[in-house]
Amino acid sequence: MKIIKDLFKIEKKPRKGLLAVEWVIMGYLLLTTLLVLFTFTKLPHPEALLWGRFRVVMLTLAMWVVYRLVPCRVTHFCRIGVQMLLLSWWYPDTYELNRIFPNLDHHFAAYEQWLCGCQPALLFAQAITHPVFSELMHLGYSSYYSLIGLVTLFAFFFRYKEFDRTVFMILVSFFIYYVIFVLLPVTGPQYYYQAVGIESIAAGVFPDLGHYFATHQEALTMPGWNDGFFYQIVENAHTAGERPTAAFPSSHVGVTTILMFLAWRLRSKWLFWGMMPLYVLMCFATVYIQAHYVVDVIGGWVSAIVIYGVLHFLWGKICAIKK
């Protein structure tokens, strides 16, 4: 009963303005709005992009009003929850913006060949075809949003003083990756291999496709046991919202690495070690299902360390200013 009372208890010192994370999101919205305006004639549906951004602003302000009317933990959580749900809208939006730039997959496939001497995304699923292994890979990949929700809810219910910091780290890291995805158009193996042809990829031929993906979204059939439960979850998610975008660095690897840092920071051994098997599966699965090159995974690890360090520093500054 005490937990329920705490959820609806009116805060003595409610937050007056936008949350730090909401300001960052508004900054991303402004940045991408300017990009839409400057490239207006090159975009297929610029009006829809602008209208979508207007709705995000209105929804953010509406949630602020709700919180100000009833300033408690529940309405605070709802403000954050809305922004997390909007991530699924922002992700395909990166494709609408980055397809005005020429594709860069030929560089990354060449880096992959130089680093590994082959294309692991092409060979991994061919080398291990057992249904159990396939399901483990797709389980790892499909756990992405579940892990985000788990860390967020754990911080909210059991480490409330760390809640704002936790969601700041999660959401801002997403928008940092989205900026990279807009400016660095890399589609990943599932799209690039399909466009070039498997025979050319196997022969080490990686042509420059220019603006091909501005008008093409065909992808390879996802490898693995296609009757598997977790295979179907990933397949349905890809069908619903996947686009030829967001390959480098791997935000799946980057964000889940940041989640591991946060789980450790939240001082919960069961949370950290409970997430570890899914995190390991995630890192392998991104290559297995042909969503990413190995260099994308490495980029995810490196970027996660940098982003976490920078955001940790910024959060300290934000807290110091509030005091």
Side-chain angles (χ1 to χ4, degrees):
M1 291 298 294
K2 184 179 183 303
I3 294 178
I4 297 177
K5 288 181 179 179
D6 287 342
L7 291 177
F8 293 94
K9 183 179 179 181
I10 301 299
E11 297 175 352
K12 294 180 180 179
K13 295 182 179 179
R15 300 157 180 81
K16 294 182 179 180
L18 294 180
L19 303 173
V21 69
E22 290 171 331
W23 279 115
V24 172
I25 294 170
M26 292 301 105
Y28 176 82
L29 188 149
L30 176 61
L31 175 66
T32 54
T33 297
L34 291 174
L35 181 59
V36 171
L37 293 175
F38 279 116
T39 60
F40 197 86
T41 58
K42 296 181 180 180
L43 296 169
H45 308 290
E47 300 87 354
L49 297 178
L50 293 175
W51 173 238
R53 281 157 174 74
F54 175 76
R55 287 184 294 173
V56 170
V57 172
M58 291 298 100
L59 184 57
T60 300
L61 292 177
M63 295 309 301
W64 173 78
V65 170
V66 170
Y67 170 79
R68 290 298 296 171
L69 291 174
V70 187
C72 64
R73 291 188 182 185
V74 168
T75 53
H76 181 203
F77 181 84
C78 288
R79 290 175 73 174
I80 298 299
V82 163
Q83 300 301 337
M84 285 192 161
L85 290 174
L86 285 173
L87 291 174
S88 62
W89 182 82
W90 285 114
Y91 171 72
D93 181 80
T94 63
Y95 169 68
E96 299 302 325
L97 296 174
N98 75 15
R99 61 173 162 169
I100 66 175
F101 303 116
N103 175 259
L104 299 176
D105 272 79
H106 57 292
H107 291 303
F108 286 84
Y111 297 152
E112 187 91 330
Q113 194 77 16
W114 172 80
L115 179 67
C116 304
C118 64
Q119 294 291 305
L122 181 62
L123 303 176
F124 192 3
Q126 296 176 7
I128 308 177
T129 60
H130 198 283
V132 173
F133 188 83
S134 169
E135 278 295 271
L136 285 174
M137 291 293 98
H138 289 94
L139 165 62
Y141 197 81
S142 65
S143 68
Y144 185 47
Y145 289 108
S146 297
L147 293 177
I148 294 170
L150 179 62
V151 172
T152 300
L153 290 172
F154 181 87
F156 180 73
F157 285 106
F158 302 106
R159 302 286 190 274
Y160 188 69
K161 291 182 179 180
E162 290 284 330
F163 178 66
D164 280 339
R165 179 186 184 278
T166 299
V167 294
F168 176 83
M169 302 286 274
I170 294 172
L171 281 168
V172 175
S173 65
F174 264 102
F175 285 96
I176 291 173
Y177 282 120
Y178 287 169
V179 170
I180 297 173
F181 297 154
V182 168
L183 301 178
L184 196 69
V186 184
T187 68
Q190 60 186 330
Y191 293 102
Y192 184 67
Y193 290 1
Q194 171 69 17
V196 173
I198 296 299
E199 291 183 0
S200 294
I201 295 297
V205 178
F206 312 115
D208 181 353
L209 297 183
H211 290 84
Y212 176 84
F213 292 108
T215 55
H216 293 80
Q217 299 185 34
E218 299 82 13
L220 292 173
T221 300
M222 192 169 59
W225 181 43
N226 55 19
D227 289 329
F229 175 76
F230 292 107
Y231 179 99
Q232 292 299 324
I233 290 177
V234 177
E235 175 68 16
N236 291 338
H238 277 202
T239 301
E242 193 57 72
R243 301 289 190 280
T245 182
F248 182 88
S250 169
S251 58
H252 275 68
V253 172
V255 170
T256 48
T257 300
I258 291 170
L259 291 176
M260 296 304 294
F261 291 152
L262 291 171
W264 185 264
R265 168 87 183 190
L266 291 171
R267 304 178 306 282
S268 174
K269 292 183 179 179
W270 73 261
L271 179 64
F272 179 84
W273 292 111
M275 290 169 55
M276 182 61 76
L278 293 174
Y279 170 68
V280 173
L281 290 174
M282 172 76 71
C283 293
F284 283 101
T286 57
V287 178
Y288 181 87
I289 73 166
Q290 299 177 335
H292 292 283
Y293 306 103
V294 169
V295 293
D296 300 338
V297 175
I298 296 171
W301 289 329
V302 174
S303 62
I305 294 170
V306 174
I307 290 171
Y308 184 85
V310 170
L311 294 184
H312 176 76
F313 173 79
L314 287 178
W315 186 252
K317 292 294 184 181
I318 292 171
C319 292
I321 292 172
K322 287 182 178 179
K323 291 180 180 179

